[in-house]
Every structure is written in structure tokens, then in C-alpha cells.
Amino acid sequence: MKIYGVNNTYQIPFKSAQTVQKGREKTLNQTQHAIIAGASVVGLSLIAWLIFRGKKSLKVKTDVKPDSVANMPKVEVQPVSTTVIPPKPTIAEQPKPETLPITPPSDFNKPNVPPLPYTPKITKFEDFKPYFDGEYEVIKTEFKNGSTITYKKVKEDETYRDILVLNTDNKLVRRITQFKKENGQMWSRVYKGDETQILENPKNFPKSIYDADFLVKEFSGDAKKPLGVSDISEGYERLTRVAYPNGTAKTYQGFFNKNKKLHDYTIYYEKFNNNLGCFDRLHEAQSEYVVKYNYAYKDCKLFAIAKQDLLKHNNWHGTYSNGGFDPFPQYIDLRNGKGFEEFKGDFYMKYPEFNPDKF
């Protein structure tokens, strides 16, 4: 009897007690036959018990024919790996992953430009000097939300001011530089930014860089210019402009009568190319919206205000429709608490107080 298929890896043959081997003969008595047969039975029983104990699902066939055994496929057994896997280290033993700094480097995501050609030298108020030269006086003023330190110089008909604005924590938050003449010509610039840098004299900085980094807005105004006796009003004109680093500006055009009272005021809302950050293209500004105000006086006091759009949605003074022209509506505020109300007709005719020659 033969048993095959144990673990599909090896064969254990058992032979009959009476077998004639080639080349020699051996006679066995009946006692020897009995001992050999008994040993075979005991060995077979022991192997079967081990198989069924270690692998219950394995079925042992005892009726396999020798011819079919020869045709059975041989199965190669993969050797069992003897590599020892080290235990996973504990949390304390695990290496820490590489971490990036929380604050990126100063040149992170910045254009490749040369360093700024200046180094601020003023770092505290004690070393501060105003933008103008010469002697000056210092004026300190306290407010509810902070205080100001004004450096003022008066020279003939010109006045210079350099104003430092501090918050309630006595920290510099804004700087205002001013120049004004008695005839009305003036300019003023408002700066905001790093304290140690806006304390520095703006003249020490390249204009394009300083204006782009710290300038909040700029005011400029011309002196009142006489219009001449040939003009109807026989008065004066004055232009004032406010420009911002974002490329927007407002131009204020005011007309005054011969007594220098404002009677006609036009505001131009403009845009210009300020990519350089130094207002070099301000003279090329294009108006996007224009509104005009007229003022009326009675007994030397403001009596009424009229307003009308001059430019709106790329249309000047009004719109064309159905073969005709529709002017923009005009509004009047009679200073009676009702605010602006639409008015149709000629307000100069109904309210002569708007005539600049009358006041």
C-alpha cells in the first residue's frame, strides 16, 4: 500500500512483507512476517494521526492507482522566507520628519530685483528731522484718538509743515508733509507704512519706490488765476487734484466771482497709468465721471446748491434717443432739510441767487 499527496511535497512508500530483491534472496519465517506487518500498521497509524491533528482539512486517499500517480503534476514548494522583520519603533523612537520653517524667507515669491538703494538712518523720534531745511517750531497737539507732532516753518508767504500722527499707544501711524503759499498754491502728501522708514526724509528715497511703498495720496493745488475782464464772471479759477497710487485721481475745478466766492465747482473722477508709482502719467489721466455743482448765496450766506452730471457712461451732458437729445437731470437743494430734488427748467431764471454777479 502506498500513501501519496501528504502536503504534496514528498512520498512515503510501504512494501509487502514478502519481496524478492534482485541479486539475493532472503527467507523470512512467520514470526518475522508478523513483526514486520505489525510495525507497518503502527507506522501507518502514527502518520495518519499526525496528519489529521495538524491539518484536519487534508484527505488521505488509499485507492490511488500506481498508473495515475505517475501522471500527477509535481508541485514545487516555495521556500519559506527566514528574513526577520524588525519590530516597528515606538513613537518616541521614530525619526522626526523634516519640517519647513513657518515664516518663508524674505525673498520668497519676490521678483528678481536689485536691493533697494537706500538704508533708513532714522530709527527714533529724537533723531527725526523734517523734510525742509532751516529753523522751525514744534507743536504738539493731543486728540481723543491720538496726538500729532507738527514741525512748522514760515518763510515770507510760504508755510512748510511736517506732521507726525501717533495713535493712543504713541506709535507713529502716518506722516503728512505740506507746502502752501498765501495765493492758494499748495501740495500735501500722506505717507503710511513702516515707522523707521517714513521717519526718513522722502528726498532720500527714490521717488518711484517711496511713492509706491508708502504714499497714500497726494494733494496739489494751483493758486487762483484771474479769468480776465472779458469773462462773464470776471472772477478766478482754481484747480486742485487728489491722486492715489492705485491710478485713480480727482480733479476739482472751482470758479470764483470777483469777490472770490465759489459759485461753480466741477469734480472730474479720473484714471491714469501709475505702474511706476510716481505719478509720471498723471497728466494723461482720462475722466470717467464728471459732476458739476453750482452755489447760490443770499445775504452773503449759502442759499442753495444745484448739481448735474456732465459725463456718465461715456455720454457727455446727456443721451441721444428717438432722434432727440435728453440732457441729464438736474437737482437742487434749497437747504430746507429735504435734500436734493429734481428740478426742470432754468434755475438761474427762477433763483437769481445763482448768478455770480449778484453776490
Side-chain angles (χ1 to χ4, degrees):
M1 180 179 67
K2 296 180 181 179
I3 298 178
Y4 298 97
V6 179
N7 291 335
N8 292 327
T9 56
Y10 52 88
Q11 300 175 356
I12 303 177
F14 291 88
K15 295 184 179 181
S16 174
Q18 293 181 352
T19 303
V20 180
Q21 297 182 4
K22 189 177 180 179
R24 68 172 181 169
E25 293 182 358
K26 189 174 182 180
T27 305
L28 299 175
N29 57 28
Q30 214 145 19
T31 303
Q32 289 174 330
H33 282 293
I35 293 173
I36 293 173
S40 299
V41 173
V42 172
L44 179 61
S45 300
L46 179 61
I47 292 174
W49 179 81
L50 291 175
I51 292 173
F52 281 99
R53 176 180 174 86
K55 201 169 185 180
K56 295 182 180 180
S57 60
L58 182 64
K59 296 181 179 180
V60 182
K61 295 183 178 180
T62 57
D63 56 348
V64 180
K65 295 182 180 180
D67 294 336
S68 62
V69 172
N71 297 325
M72 288 180 64
K74 294 183 179 180
V75 180
E76 295 182 0
V77 178
Q78 296 295 333
V80 179
S81 175
T82 58
T83 303
V84 179
I85 300 177
K88 188 176 181 180
T90 61
I91 297 178
E93 298 174 349
Q94 290 182 355
K96 294 182 179 180
E98 183 179 358
T99 57
L100 297 176
I102 298 177
T103 304
S106 58
D107 58 349
F108 177 75
N109 203 22
K110 295 269 184 83
N112 185 18
V113 295
L116 299 179
Y118 61 79
T119 301
K121 300 178 181 179
I122 306 300
T123 58
K124 53 186 178 179
F125 289 112
E126 291 77 3
D127 300 330
F128 175 77
K129 294 181 180 180
Y131 76 92
F132 49 82
D133 298 325
E135 297 181 356
Y136 55 85
E137 61 175 324
V138 180
I139 304 171
K140 296 184 179 181
T141 307
E142 298 290 336
F143 297 96
K144 181 179 180 180
N145 298 324
S147 61
T148 59
I149 304 176
T150 302
Y151 300 80
K152 180 180 177 181
K153 171 187 174 181
V154 179
K155 181 182 179 181
E156 298 177 352
D157 63 342
E158 299 176 342
T159 302
Y160 302 83
R161 288 185 178 90
D162 204 337
I163 306 171
L164 303 180
V165 182
L166 294 80
N167 61 12
T168 54
D169 297 328
N170 206 36
K171 180 180 179 181
L172 179 63
V173 294
R174 189 167 297 187
R175 178 180 183 179
I176 305 172
T177 57
Q178 294 180 345
F179 167 80
K180 186 175 182 180
K181 296 189 71 172
E182 289 184 0
N183 63 2
Q185 184 180 2
M186 56 82 66
W187 59 259
S188 177
R189 298 184 181 95
V190 181
Y191 299 97
K192 185 178 180 180
D194 182 75
E195 179 176 299
T196 60
Q197 291 180 316
I198 61 175
L199 282 172
E200 185 70 27
N201 190 336
K203 295 180 181 179
N204 297 336
F205 292 79
K207 192 174 189 303
S208 60
I209 297 175
Y210 197 74
D211 288 353
D213 290 346
F214 308 109
L215 185 62
V216 177
K217 55 185 173 181
E218 179 182 81
F219 298 88
S220 61
D222 294 328
K224 294 178 182 178
K225 298 178 181 179
L227 298 173
V229 295
S230 60
D231 189 88
I232 297 177
S233 65
E234 295 184 8
Y236 302 84
E237 176 191 16
R238 186 175 68 188
L239 293 174
T240 306
R241 171 169 282 170
V242 182
Y244 302 87
N246 63 357
T248 60
K250 295 179 185 178
T251 297
Y252 302 89
Q253 183 184 34
F255 291 96
F256 301 79
N257 70 349
K258 58 185 178 181
N259 297 322
K260 297 186 178 181
K261 277 191 174 292
L262 178 65
H263 66 85
D264 190 306
Y265 199 56
T266 305
I267 304 176
Y268 301 82
Y269 295 83
E270 304 165 322
K271 281 191 175 182
F272 65 99
N273 182 3
N274 192 40
N275 291 334
L276 296 178
C278 55
F279 301 112
D280 286 349
R281 302 294 181 87
L282 188 57
H283 63 283
E284 299 177 0
Q286 299 293 324
S287 297
E288 291 196 332
Y289 173 66
V290 180
V291 60
K292 181 180 179 180
Y293 295 86
N294 290 89
Y295 298 89
Y297 297 86
K298 190 175 184 179
D299 298 330
C300 297
K301 294 182 180 180
L302 184 62
F303 169 70
I305 304 173
K307 73 174 182 178
Q308 184 180 27
D309 294 335
L310 298 185
L311 173 62
K312 189 177 182 180
H313 305 310
N314 295 323
N315 296 309
W316 281 97
H317 303 287
T319 58
Y320 290 91
S321 62
N322 299 325
F325 180 77
D326 296 325
F328 291 130
Q330 57 187 4
Y331 302 87
I332 290 182
D333 181 1
L334 297 175
R335 312 291 289 175
N336 54 8
K338 295 182 179 180
F340 284 98
E341 296 180 327
E342 187 174 354
F343 177 84
K344 295 182 179 181
D346 189 345
F347 57 82
Y348 279 97
M349 295 292 293
K350 186 172 183 178
Y351 302 103
E353 293 84 0
F354 280 99
N355 189 339
D357 292 333
K358 301 296 182 181
F359 54 85

